[in-house]
């Protein structure tokens, strides 16, 4: 069974640029959530996708957008990058949305640095 | 909204026991999770509590009191590899989907 994978591992961008981060969910998982984790802090929920539809969003501006594909992989897009967007971006998948247990399995993350 | 508090840092000795407390405020509580995160790595699932009481998994145990909005993670027989951040996360059935709200994490340093 393949776990959650993310690409790229590291990325350096400059202010104002756009970035796309990718995530492949664990086999059999149809729900993908994205989190932003600043250094020394806990992950912050960005949004979740369930069966290709956005299913909940955290307190992030519209320049953070996403997609989920029929194979349940997902993309996170960030436009007009700001210095504060520098963080570890984590993708997590789970078998169902809002299930009674539904622990989330995290990928290794993408470390984004905005200069 | 949801608010989760946990200590920033704790230090303990190899072979000892450490208890990491987590207090939370949420409406529509639907489970509390503990994750372990080594520096530069992804969080890995440790435990889940939705009913009051103690859940034991080997060297790790987690306790929940819903009436007090309180949980703790107990790490026994500490090993050097247990040096990591421990994240407390709460799920609410009032939040769309499977969203987890995380605390800031507790960094545990295990000394020889």
């Amino acid at each position: 069974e393949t776990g959650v994978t993310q690409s790229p591992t590291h990325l350096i961008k400059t202010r104002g640029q756009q970035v796309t981060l990718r995530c492949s969910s664990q086999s059999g998982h149809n729900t993908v959530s994205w989190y932003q984790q600043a250094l020394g802090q806990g992950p912050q929920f960005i949004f979740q996708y369930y069966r290709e539809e956005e299913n909940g969003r955290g307190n992030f501006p519209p320049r953070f957008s996403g997609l989920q594909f029929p194979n349940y992989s997902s993309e996170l897009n960030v436009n007009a990058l700001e210095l504060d967007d520098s963080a570890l971006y984590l993708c997590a998948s789970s078998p169902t949305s809002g299930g009674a247990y539904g622990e989330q399995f995290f990928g290794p993350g993408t470390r984004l640095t905005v200069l | 909204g949801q608010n989760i508090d946990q200590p920033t840092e704790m230090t303990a000795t190899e072979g000892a026991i450490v208890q990491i407390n987590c207090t939370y405020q949420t409406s529509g509580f639907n489970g509390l999770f503990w994750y372990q995160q080594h520096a530069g790595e992804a969080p890995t699932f440790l435990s889940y509590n939705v009913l009051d009481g103690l859940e034991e998994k080997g060297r790790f145990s987690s306790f929940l009191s819903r009436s007090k909005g309180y949980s703790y993670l107990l790490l026994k027989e500490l090993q050097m590899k247990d040096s990591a951040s421990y994240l407390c996360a709460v799920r609410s059935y009032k939040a769309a989907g499977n969203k987890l709200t995380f605390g800031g994490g507790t960094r545990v340093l295990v000394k020889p």
Side-chain angles (χ1 to χ4, degrees):
Chain A
E1 184 177 272
T2 306
V4 180
T5 60
Q6 292 186 242
S7 62
T9 307
H10 295 87
L11 203 51
I12 300 175
K13 292 284 188 178
T14 56
R15 273 188 307 174
Q17 285 189 310
Q18 178 266 341
V19 69
T20 298
L21 310 182
R22 296 179 175 82
C23 170
S24 291
S25 61
Q26 187 164 318
S27 177
H29 290 186
N30 57 13
T31 302
V32 172
S33 303
W34 285 92
Y35 293 83
Q36 180 194 66
Q37 187 176 24
L39 201 60
Q41 298 182 22
Q44 299 292 313
F45 177 75
I46 302 174
F47 43 57
Q48 181 186 89
Y49 279 83
Y50 172 61
R51 293 185 175 178
E52 303 177 59
E53 297 286 332
E54 187 178 288
N55 183 38
R57 187 179 181 92
N59 190 26
F60 280 81
R63 59 189 185 85
F64 285 77
S65 63
L67 283 174
Q68 188 179 32
F69 300 98
N71 66 354
Y72 303 130
S73 65
S74 177
E75 286 183 355
L76 164 66
N77 299 290
V78 187
N79 293 322
L81 283 167
E82 301 177 0
L83 296 179
D84 284 348
D85 296 334
S86 294
L88 181 68
Y89 288 85
L90 295 164
C91 168
S93 73
S94 52
T96 62
S97 173
Y101 192 80
E103 77 212 55
Q104 296 186 15
F105 295 83
F106 284 84
T110 294
R111 171 71 64 188
L112 173 65
T113 302
V114 182
L115 302 175
Chain B
Q2 296 172 307
N3 191 40
I4 301 173
D5 288 313
Q6 49 181 131
T8 306
E9 197 168 291
M10 301 181 76
T11 302
T13 305
E14 193 175 15
I17 298 173
V18 70
Q19 178 175 313
I20 306 169
N21 296 323
C22 171
T23 58
Y24 65 89
Q25 293 175 314
T26 188
S27 57
F29 176 81
N30 189 27
L32 187 143
F33 296 79
W34 284 96
Y35 281 82
Q36 180 192 60
Q37 186 177 27
H38 285 100
E41 297 182 11
T44 55
F45 170 77
L46 287 178
S47 69
Y48 170 76
N49 295 72
V50 68
L51 299 176
D52 291 351
L54 188 69
E55 294 284 339
E56 296 189 83
K57 268 189 179 184
R59 295 190 298 113
F60 294 175
S61 303
S62 58
F63 171 83
L64 175 67
S65 169
R66 288 172 296 170
S67 62
K68 295 182 180 178
Y70 169 69
S71 172
Y72 68 72
L73 179 70
L74 196 69
L75 286 66
K76 296 179 247 183
E77 300 169 18
L78 279 171
Q79 302 175 8
M80 299 299 291
K81 68 178 182 180
D82 297 330
S83 292
S85 281
Y86 292 85
L87 300 164
C88 172
V90 169
R91 182 173 62 194
S92 166
Y93 65 76
K94 291 189 176 182
N98 211 14
K99 168 191 170 184
L100 293 177
T101 299
F102 283 87
T106 299
R107 195 170 72 173
V108 171
L109 177 62
V110 180
K111 294 186 173 180

